[in-house]
Amino acid sequence: MSEAGAGEGSDEFGRIARRGILFVLSSPSGAGKTTIARRLLELEPGTRMSVSATTRPKRPDELDGRDYLFVSQAKFDQMAAQGGFLEHAEVFGHSYGTPRDQVEEMLADGFDVIFDIDWQGAQQLAQAVPQDVVRVFVLPPSLSELESRLMRRAQDSAEVVAARMAKAVDELSHYGEYDHIVINRALDDSVAAARAILNAERTRRERYTGLDAFVNSLTEDRS
Ligand SMILES: Nc1nc2c(ncn2[C@@H]2O[C@H](COP(=O)(O)OP(=O)(O)O)[C@@H](O)[C@H]2O)c(=O)[nH]1
Ligand SMILES: [Mg+2]
């Protein structure tokens, strides 16, 4: 076997086979998790975004199939009844869910999957696949900063912003259910923190399915 080549349990780059990560980002509305998720996706090879289905109306800057799958309530209920969601929940009066097939395909193809979902979804995923979920909670530096971000976005009505602010305090109370906390003061720092978390989690021993085979192949080379 060539020195730099693949051993048992590793690919042609010497990477050891491992299970993919379900990398969950949650936060109160407007704390910046969607932006962090998009940046992670651009910067980290080997990641894919889980695109949720939702019954919420599409915003002008959103694309069907990229930001969400925008579906009717009837379609959503049908998918849920057929077990088509890995998790689903109601948030701000609309239904949101993670299509199961898409995530399973991405994991099977060797990708780590990023989720922009709320605490209810994070809880359900953690119950379904406890070993493979990494939960990151993004906190705003202050509630006034959160409110101004929501208003700056200005895509939602004043009532919606007010409702989301009220809900933010509620959502904040779930920080204790997460593995990592990122305070989003400056976007670049938060993105760097999220990348550091992802890359540290990638090398956890328990994730490697090919570790025994790889180490065995190392020692076989000596004999
Ligand atoms: N449980 C769950 N929550 C989701 C899903 N997709 C989005 N969410 C969450 O629903 C909330 C509202 O999202 P959205 O309507 O895009 O508004 P945002 O608060 O501006 O991001 C956010 O907390 C999302 O993380 C999903 O598939 N499942
Ligand atoms: Mg969002």
Side-chain angles (χ1 to χ4, degrees):
M1 187 180 304
S2 72
E3 278 137 298
E8 284 295 314
S10 68
D11 69 8
E12 67 268 37
F13 306 110
R15 287 180 306 219
I16 307 167
R18 66 165 169 83
R19 289 195 312 278
I21 294 169
L22 290 82
F23 195 81
V24 175
L25 287 163
S26 301
S27 75
S29 243
K33 72 181 166 298
T34 305
T35 314
I36 294 171
R38 289 209 185 126
R39 292 282 296 277
L40 256 184
L41 205 63
E42 284 168 21
L43 294 167
E44 286 294 336
T47 57
R48 287 285 182 273
M49 191 78 203
S50 166
V51 179
S52 297
T54 184
T55 60
R56 155 167 91 58
K58 192 171 85 65
R59 295 176 187 150
D61 65 333
E62 289 178 323
L63 266 182
D64 191 19
R66 181 195 67 180
D67 299 287
Y68 284 102
L69 304 167
F70 295 95
V71 299
S72 66
Q73 190 68 55
K75 173 76 182 160
F76 190 96
D77 294 343
Q78 184 199 349
M79 287 175 76
Q82 291 171 342
F85 292 124
L86 206 49
E87 62 76 34
H88 62 97
E90 204 177 302
V91 189
F92 306 121
H94 297 291
S95 300
Y96 294 82
T98 301
R100 181 188 298 276
D101 291 355
Q102 173 190 259
V103 173
E104 286 176 353
E105 265 169 45
M106 290 170 178
L107 290 171
D109 289 344
F111 292 103
D112 295 316
V113 185
I114 301 169
F115 297 81
D116 171 349
I117 60 176
D118 83 331
W119 61 270
Q120 304 173 86
Q123 276 186 358
Q124 292 175 49
L125 280 193
Q127 266 165 23
V129 274
Q131 281 195 308
D132 300 332
V133 172
V134 174
R135 289 162 294 181
V136 181
F137 200 75
V138 181
L139 286 170
S142 69
L143 282 186
S144 56
E145 176 61 28
L146 189 69
E147 186 165 33
S148 59
R149 281 183 202 169
L150 283 177
M151 305 217 293
R152 229 179 293 141
R153 194 159 61 184
Q155 287 161 347
D156 295 317
S157 65
E159 302 90 83
V160 170
V161 170
R164 283 174 179 237
M165 271 312 287
K167 199 84 197 286
V169 180
D170 219 49
E171 293 176 59
L172 280 175
S173 69
H174 291 278
Y175 67 89
E177 297 154 26
Y178 288 76
D179 307 305
H180 299 270
I181 303 295
V182 173
I183 301 173
N184 190 19
R185 289 198 178 84
L187 182 64
D188 286 345
D189 294 344
S190 302
V191 171
R195 294 182 74 183
I197 295 165
L198 175 63
N199 281 301
E201 291 282 355
R202 281 172 159 167
T203 58
R204 266 188 194 280
R205 177 177 47 76
E206 313 87 80
R207 299 198 199 290
Y208 291 115
T209 50
L211 191 56
D212 290 345
F214 178 72
V215 174
N216 285 338
S217 76
L218 290 180
T219 49
E220 272 162 19
D221 280 353
R222 305 268 307 168
S223 56

